[in-house]
């Protein structure tokens, strides 16, 4: 397995933070929160994982372990000795892989509706729907509708569905599913002393606070959990589709506040200043 330099963009001038996107988007998933990030205190590196965005044509195994190595390689190129990670959904699994790959480089971990390190037990119907989303726009539309709370205008959903295949390769989307949803590596990260903060939608039954209490909160001694009361389920379809909320879309300001409060909790560390 070889590392690859991930396409990225930098915002800010201080403590270093990688922002890792989810399965059906690229780094533009964070565009909605960019204007309100604290760029005086943090430097955010928004990345495209292999198979997505400017790395859409990049070949690879499309696994969380491979992505973790890619982030370590990028940290080296950027001169980042230590860094924090913000990861959404599939990107949350990537962030947890870094706890196994480079625990000494990790400062803090913030996960937004994270896929657990134990994988996600999708019922057959849900697994088929997620797998077929790689080549079926109609499946992506259902998933995106669900993950944005079921209350976005149809025209916006249409734009998002049009953009999703443009920024994600079919092969990559399908292969990534086998990694973030079906690989169990929690024994490799269990007991990690890295401060770990999970954010979930209070109304999300797929990656619920209850699931994170049974996984996240038991694995990480310095774990915290926060529920966004306005994010998650808006209709019953989520219960049959295994979707997750997108707080960057639904509750961006609350997400920024709790995430940055956690990231700055103990101040910048040596090697993190620009």
């Amino acid at each position: 397995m070889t590392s690859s330099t991930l396409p990225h963009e930098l915002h800010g001038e201080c403590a270093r933070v990688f922002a890792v996107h989810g399965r059906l988007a690229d780094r533009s998933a964070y565009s909605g929160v960019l204007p309100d990030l604290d760029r005086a205190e943090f430097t955010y590196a928004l990345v495209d994982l292999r198979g997505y965005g400017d790395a859409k044509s990049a070949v690879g195994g499309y696994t969380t372990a491979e992505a973790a190595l890619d982030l370590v390689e990028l940290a080296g190129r950027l001169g980042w000795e230590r860094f924090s990670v913000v990861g959404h959904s599939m990107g949350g699994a990537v962030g947890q892989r870094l706890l196994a790959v480079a625990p000494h480089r990790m400062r803090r971990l913030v996960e937004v509706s994270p896929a657990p390190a134990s994988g996600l037990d999708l019922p057959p119907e849900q697994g088929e729907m997620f797998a077929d989303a790689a080549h079926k726009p109609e499946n992506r539309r259902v998933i995106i509708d669900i993950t944005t709370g079921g209350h976005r205008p149809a025209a916006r959903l249409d734009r998002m569905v049009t953009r999703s295949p443009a920024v994600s390769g079919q092969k990559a989307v399908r292969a990534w599913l086998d990694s973030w949803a079906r690989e169990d590596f929690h024994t490799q990260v269990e007991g990690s002393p890295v401060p770990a903060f999970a954010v979930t939608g209070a109304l999300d039954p797929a990656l619920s606070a209850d699931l994170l209490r049974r996984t996240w909160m038991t694995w990480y001694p310095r774990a915290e959990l926060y529920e966004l009361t306005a994010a998650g389920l808006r209709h019953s379809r989520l219960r049959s589709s295994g979707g997750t909320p997108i707080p960057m879309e639904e509750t961006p300001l609350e997400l920024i506040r709790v995430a940055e409060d956690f990231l700055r909790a103990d101040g910048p560390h040596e090697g993190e200043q620009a």
Side-chain angles (χ1 to χ4, degrees):
M1 184 185 302
T2 58
S3 63
S4 174
T5 299
L6 300 177
H8 60 281
E9 57 188 81
L10 298 175
H11 300 271
E13 55 186 41
C14 199
R16 288 78 183 268
V17 183
F18 283 119
V20 187
H21 61 80
R23 184 184 179 229
L24 296 180
D26 63 349
R27 67 181 189 258
S28 66
Y30 290 95
S31 60
V33 299
L34 275 179
D36 298 303
L37 295 176
D38 187 345
R39 305 187 195 196
E41 190 158 355
F42 302 102
T43 298
Y44 289 94
L46 280 57
V47 303
D48 284 333
L49 299 175
R50 296 195 201 200
Y52 292 89
D54 290 338
K56 184 178 178 181
S57 62
V59 297
Y62 309 116
T63 67
T64 58
E66 178 183 69
L69 292 176
D70 287 344
L71 285 170
V72 171
E73 191 274 345
L74 178 56
R77 287 181 177 269
L78 294 173
W80 291 11
E81 180 59 31
R82 299 190 70 223
F83 48 83
S84 297
V85 176
V86 174
H88 175 237
S89 190
M90 178 183 81
V94 174
Q96 291 171 85
R97 276 286 190 184
L98 276 161
L99 295 177
V101 170
H104 59 292
R105 308 284 294 275
M106 293 283 287
R107 178 176 169 252
R108 289 193 162 234
L109 181 63
V110 175
E111 305 278 59
V112 183
S113 300
S118 56
L120 193 61
D121 185 19
L122 295 173
E125 183 179 350
Q126 296 177 17
E128 182 178 354
M129 177 179 154
F130 270 66
D132 288 349
H135 61 276
K136 290 185 176 180
E138 61 270 26
N139 285 30
R140 295 192 187 213
R141 195 181 199 283
V142 171
I143 292 170
I144 292 172
D145 185 22
I146 290 166
T147 58
T148 53
H151 61 285
R152 292 288 182 262
R156 176 163 177 75
L157 284 175
D158 291 341
R159 289 196 301 272
M160 294 176 75
V161 171
T162 298
R163 177 164 175 74
S164 180
V167 300
S168 58
Q170 288 188 15
K171 180 180 178 181
V173 170
R174 178 62 188 86
W176 270 106
L177 177 65
D178 289 335
S179 183
W180 67 263
R182 293 167 181 164
E183 292 177 354
D184 182 353
F185 60 92
H186 82 276
T187 58
Q188 299 176 39
V189 298
E190 193 170 9
S192 170
V194 173
F197 185 56
V199 180
T200 186
L203 301 175
D204 174 22
L207 290 171
S208 65
D210 182 60
L211 173 63
L212 293 176
R213 290 187 189 100
R214 299 195 311 268
T215 55
W216 184 274
M217 297 300 291
T218 66
W219 297 336
Y220 306 125
R222 301 178 67 186
E224 297 181 31
L225 177 63
Y226 184 88
E227 292 183 79
L228 295 164
T229 57
L233 183 66
R234 291 297 187 277
H235 52 65
S236 62
R237 291 169 66 195
L238 183 54
R239 297 186 182 278
S240 63
S241 300
T244 62
I246 305 180
M248 293 90 76
E249 287 267 345
E250 296 181 81
T251 55
L253 297 181
E254 185 179 6
L255 175 63
I256 291 170
R257 178 181 61 80
V258 298
E260 292 194 332
D261 282 352
F262 181 80
L263 289 170
R264 67 167 62 92
D266 52 2
H269 284 199
E270 182 180 356
E272 290 184 292
Q273 296 288 349

